[in-house]
Amino acid sequence: MPGPITFIAEFACIHEGAGDYLRDLASAVKTAGATAVKFQIFSVDEIVTPVHPDYAYLKSISFVHEEWNAHIKACAEMGLDVWVDISGSFGLRVVGSTIEHIAGVKVHSADIDNPIVLEGIKNLGRPVAIGC
């Protein structure tokens, strides 16, 4: 017989960079039956240049390292498993600093052939999902 089903609420960037909203959403999805949340952790400067037309928008919906740590911890304390979509070295640093609250990681498609990120993820010792 299979084990329990994990319902992961994929947040992507729906929080729009608002921490209170992120936490309210996490509470709502838990109430609705989700057992986990998944966030996309990235640094704007690792994915686009300042002259990119979406740079300002992406910067406005981003969290800094310490904010991510607080949001991840808060969701874990709600009883949600936290999964993260790691994009680049910034994501690795965030996850490494709050690994005790991370249930699993997903390799971002842009990093599928990035040996630094892949090695870093391997060393985290968490389940890994790979999108394709």
Side-chain angles (χ1 to χ4, degrees):
M1 173 168 219
I5 296 173
T6 299
F7 291 98
I8 302 175
E10 165 65 66
F11 277 50
C13 294
I14 192 138
H15 51 73
E16 293 288 316
D20 290 341
Y21 185 52
L22 178 147
R23 293 178 192 207
D24 289 346
L25 285 172
S27 179
V29 299
K30 178 161 177 57
T31 299
T35 54
V37 291
K38 185 172 85 59
F39 304 119
Q40 292 179 348
I41 299 180
F42 63 90
S43 166
V44 175
D45 295 310
E46 286 185 339
I47 59 173
V48 295
T49 65
V51 297
H52 190 281
D54 294 329
Y55 182 86
Y57 169 70
L58 291 169
K59 193 78 161 172
S60 75
I61 64 168
S62 300
F63 294 119
V64 297
H65 190 132
E66 296 77 19
E67 290 172 315
W68 270 123
N69 285 354
H71 300 320
I72 290 166
K73 181 179 179 188
C75 289
E77 288 175 348
M78 287 180 202
L80 290 163
D81 287 340
V82 178
W83 281 72
V84 293
D85 197 333
I86 293 178
S87 180
S89 298
F90 174 76
L92 274 175
R93 287 191 304 276
V94 169
V95 171
S97 67
T98 188
I99 192 67
E100 69 274 12
H101 301 298
I102 302 295
V105 298
K106 178 179 174 274
V107 178
H108 190 277
S109 300
D111 285 313
I112 200 71
D113 62 350
N114 182 333
I116 295 169
V117 171
L118 294 175
E119 189 66 28
I121 288 173
K122 182 176 96 176
N123 292 331
L124 292 172
R126 294 294 187 265
V128 177
I130 298 174
C132 53

